[in-house]
Amino acid sequence: VIAWNGAGGQGGPIASVNHERYWSVRFFGWVERGLISMQVRNEQFPRVVVSYNTPYIVVGRVDDASRYSDMWVWDIVQGAWLGKQTHVTQGIPIGGHEVNTIGRATDKTNLFLSADLKEFIMFDSFMSDSWVEAYATEYSLQAWAG
């Protein structure tokens, strides 16, 4: 659950493992609006247009068997999906012992995030569409409260 304030470095990484070789979920923006982009092996999609200072639930998934990546963005204020994008991918990158970073790129000091981050969850299995739907609906009732 995150709300981006638009400040920060060029392309604010939410979570990253060297986006050119592995994967990244990040903000990239311009005045008052921006994109949330998911990159697997430096692919530039999926991406969803978002607004600053608005809380979102962002779900990024890679299905290695079907070679698809998808990213869903839930607008907590509206209580609805802002976007669901799917992209053909090369699959889950393998090899190495890379560091997962939150809010900062692994290899570029000018890539950092400026946002309100309430919660970050990472799974090592593919979550079903129905699980994601239920999670977003339930969590949005509690998000950003108190």
Side-chain angles (χ1 to χ4, degrees), residues 1-2 54-57 74-80 136 139-144:
V1 177
I2 192 165
T54 302
Y56 299 106
I57 295 172
W74 177 268
D75 184 321
I76 292 172
V77 174
Q78 298 296 319
Y139 195 87
S140 67
L141 297 175
Q142 304 167 26
W144 303 89

Side-chain angles (χ1 to χ4, degrees), residues 17 21-22 93-99:
V17 178
R21 291 185 298 148
Y22 293 95
I94 59 171
H97 296 284
E98 296 289 330
V99 174

Side-chain angles (χ1 to χ4, degrees), residues 4-14 19 24-31 33-35 52 103-105 108-115:
W4 184 33
N5 65 24
Q10 171 194 15
I14 300 168
H19 79 275
S24 173
V25 177
R26 67 183 183 145
F27 288 109
F28 184 79
W30 56 92
V31 178
R33 295 183 67 78
L35 298 171
Y52 294 158
R104 182 163 295 281
K108 296 180 182 178
T109 59
N110 67 329
L111 298 179
F112 60 94
L113 177 65
S114 183

Side-chain angles (χ1 to χ4, degrees), residues 28-113:
F28 184 79
W30 56 92
V31 178
E32 296 182 19
R33 295 183 67 78
L35 298 171
I36 298 177
S37 171
M38 181 174 155
Q39 299 182 4
V40 178
R41 297 185 184 190
N42 205 28
E43 298 159 350
Q44 301 297 310
F45 294 93
R47 55 173 70 171
V48 175
V49 175
V50 296
S51 298
Y52 294 158
N53 300 310
T54 302
Y56 299 106
I57 295 172
V58 180
V59 179
R61 304 179 298 174
V62 179
D63 185 341
D64 201 39
S66 67
R67 297 285 199 247
Y68 283 97
S69 62
D70 62 45
M71 185 179 64
W72 296 8
V73 178
W74 177 268
D75 184 321
I76 292 172
V77 174
Q78 298 296 319
W81 290 107
L82 181 62
K84 294 180 179 181
Q85 296 281 320
T86 300
H87 181 69
V88 175
T89 186
Q90 298 175 55
I92 298 172
I94 59 171
H97 296 284
E98 296 289 330
V99 174
N100 293 318
T101 57
I102 308 298
R104 182 163 295 281
T106 54
D107 58 349
K108 296 180 182 178
T109 59
N110 67 329
L111 298 179
F112 60 94
L113 177 65

